[in-house]
């Protein structure tokens, strides 16, 4: 036991009450903190060099070798480890069957100027995503295709919502994540190398496999219900469309991002 | 006004109470009915020849030309049209901001024996999907790639849940949907032409682009957290893997289905 390890069993504990509020966006913003559940995601974070400020463990969780490594690394980095009950983890995460671990992490404040666009051949750019599951899934896909990160344009769902963090499966810690306005993004993009590829349901498009993509490729995906604004699509270097063989005219946004990203990756590896 | 058009404004109306229960799986099963929201999805259904038993409209919805067409077709097919309030639609759909239309449809009871496998070059097969959003997204992707339908194996989330229907964006009405046990599915599959392609994270896999797929291609996707059982993968004709360039070892299940399905489609159109 070090000074930074303690035990909490009371729902009315002030830290529990405070951390529980992180399920609401305004409290996340005010605190600059977010919550990630599960040993797997916390281990991904640790391997990426990111450790929680507070690590809550229910009894069973603490026995796992990876949990032990996480506890040690958290304490070594100056974080606090709190042994607690499944009921309190459930209260923190809002889930009936909580994971055995909940970590509280600082929200990174990455700006466009912090990105090294040459660090990766693919970047995902999502305009006003509103579904946290889609947003998290795009982060997860970004990791899979070797993207550098996800740039969120304009007003979007909060990437640090529990559902988004969960869907990212740890990629929230490995992908760079930037929120920017379109009128900041476009000048930044044009200030260096990079091709902006818009997935677009309107006219003047090419088949997504007919284009040879140049790195770094910025894949631009529109809002789930409205698609991209026409002027955003017009500002892109190329507008592409996936073949649609059925009745529907569009794909789920996270699916469209993945199909595009794998095409870019496949061209690079062939 | 015909005999089949009426107005309901009371929350305690017996039909409202009964239809509201369709948000629960056991009531859907008992009634053989499910609920779909929105003019867009109801219009997709109508265009596929599927009309609701009951069509609830809030006042604004009834003015739209597509809503008018829907009302006429519903009445002509013997269904009932109910003019109601946004508050009652909200009660039916469980959403704060309900769509202006809610349709109540019969669950089709499609069995493996009803499928014409030669009718489409691609079929999706999902083993124990547990997330209704993923399930609906797979239906939507199936429509986009010209698949014939989705076969659900073993114990899975209910495809007629509101979230799954919503994520399908109408494809629940255009894709065939079958629920079967693995030990029914495999003999059925082997009783005719068709290649079973498993997405598999274990050993003995090929790169998903190194394989030439033969139609009809059955794309087998495992459960979100556990992947496919080893014996299911072993029974497939081929086991494939998408390249994974990052820290994670897997894709979201609906994303994996889409990346695979577009590869099969792209081979066919090249």
């Amino acid at each position: 036991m070090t000074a930074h390890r303690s035990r909490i069993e009371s729902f009315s504990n002030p830290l529990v009450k405070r951390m529980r509020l992180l399920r609401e966006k305004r409290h996340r913003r005010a605190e600059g903190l977010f919550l990630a559940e599960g040993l797997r995601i916390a281990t991904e974070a640790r391997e990426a060099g990111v450790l929680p400020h507070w690590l809550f463990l229910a009894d069973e969780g603490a026995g796992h070798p990876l949990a032990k490594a996480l506890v040690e690394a958290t304490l070594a980095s100056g974080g606090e480890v709190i042994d607690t009950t499944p009921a309190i983890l459930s209260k923190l995460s809002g889930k009936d069957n909580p994971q055995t671990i909940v970590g509280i992490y600082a929200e990174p404040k990455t700006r466009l100027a912090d990105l090294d666009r040459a660090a990766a051949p693919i970047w995902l750019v999502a305009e006003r995503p509103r579904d946290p599951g889609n947003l998290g899934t795009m982060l997860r896909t970004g990791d899979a295709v070797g993207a550098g990160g996800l740039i969120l344009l304009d007003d979007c769902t909060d990437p640090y919502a529990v559902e988004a963090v969960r869907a990212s499966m740890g990629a929230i810690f490995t992908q760079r994540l930037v929120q920017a306005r379109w009128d900041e993004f476009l000048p930044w993009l044009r200030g260096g190398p990079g091709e902006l590829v818009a997935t677009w349901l309107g006219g003047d498009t090419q088949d997504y496999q007919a284009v040879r993509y140049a790195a770094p490729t910025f894949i631009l995906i529109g809002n789930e219900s409205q698609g991209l604004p026409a002027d955003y699509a017009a500002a892109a270097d190329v507008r592409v469309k996936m073949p649609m063989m059925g009745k529907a005219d569009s794909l789920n946004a996270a699916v469209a991002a993945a199909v595009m990203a794998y095409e870019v990756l496949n061209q690079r590896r062939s």
Side-chain angles (χ1 to χ4, degrees), chain A:
Chain A
M1 276 282 203
T2 80
H4 293 290
R5 186 157 189 170
S6 58
R7 180 157 195 95
I8 296 180
E9 296 194 339
S10 160
F11 284 102
S12 56
N13 178 283
L15 186 67
V16 169
K17 283 176 144 173
R18 181 178 155 212
M19 295 298 117
R20 200 195 151 198
L21 292 174
L22 295 178
R23 281 195 272 139
E24 290 170 41
K25 181 177 172 178
R26 67 193 170 96
H27 289 287
R28 287 194 294 274
R29 260 335 75 73
E31 296 261 20
L33 295 170
F34 70 102
L35 183 155
E37 313 153 273
L39 182 56
R40 183 170 167 169
I41 290 183
T43 298
E44 292 263 4
R46 178 173 63 79
E47 288 173 353
V50 182
L51 291 159
H53 289 208
W54 291 272
L55 177 68
F56 291 82
L57 299 103
D59 307 321
E60 318 93 273
H64 195 289
L66 284 174
K68 206 162 163 263
L70 194 58
V71 165
E72 280 166 17
T74 301
L75 293 172
S77 74
E80 212 170 316
V81 174
I82 295 134
D83 296 290
T84 189
T85 64
I88 285 180
L89 289 190
S90 183
K91 188 133 188 154
L92 289 174
S93 69
K95 281 174 82 176
D96 286 343
N97 296 304
Q99 304 259 11
T100 55
I101 276 181
V102 166
I104 311 292
Y105 295 87
E107 287 186 7
K109 305 281 181 208
T110 311
R111 293 159 310 162
L112 287 170
D114 301 326
L115 297 183
D116 173 12
R117 70 178 76 197
I122 302 175
W123 295 82
L124 298 180
V125 185
E127 181 254 343
R128 287 180 301 133
R130 65 170 183 189
D131 182 83
N134 280 344
L135 197 162
T137 300
M138 287 191 236
L139 286 166
R140 182 178 183 183
T141 299
D143 173 86
V145 298
L150 174 63
I151 299 168
L152 299 169
L153 297 181
D154 303 338
D155 300 315
C156 65
T157 191
D158 184 16
Y160 297 105
V162 174
E163 301 77 17
V165 172
R166 195 180 287 154
S168 85
M169 291 292 283
I172 191 110
F173 296 110
T174 57
Q175 290 284 292
R176 305 302 300 267
L177 184 63
V178 172
Q179 304 195 50
R181 314 294 309 178
W182 169 253
D183 53 16
E184 299 166 72
F185 169 72
L186 197 61
W188 172 82
L189 180 79
R190 296 311 181 197
E195 184 175 52
L196 184 62
V197 179
T199 57
W200 177 235
L201 302 172
D204 183 26
T205 57
Q206 293 181 264
D207 186 284
Y208 84 120
Q209 290 204 301
V211 177
R212 296 301 96 184
Y213 300 103
T217 311
F218 291 84
I219 299 172
L220 177 58
I221 305 288
N223 167 271
E224 287 95 337
S225 56
Q226 288 151 358
L228 284 176
D231 56 326
Y232 291 23
D237 296 296
V238 59
R239 284 150 294 284
V240 297
K241 194 177 272 184
M242 273 72 89
M244 302 290 299
M245 316 300 286
K247 308 280 182 200
D249 61 357
S250 68
L251 294 166
N252 165 279
V255 161
V259 171
M260 265 306 302
Y262 267 93
E263 176 60 23
V264 176
L265 173 62
N266 288 334
Q267 288 189 13
R268 293 182 55 80
R269 68 193 189 113
S270 70

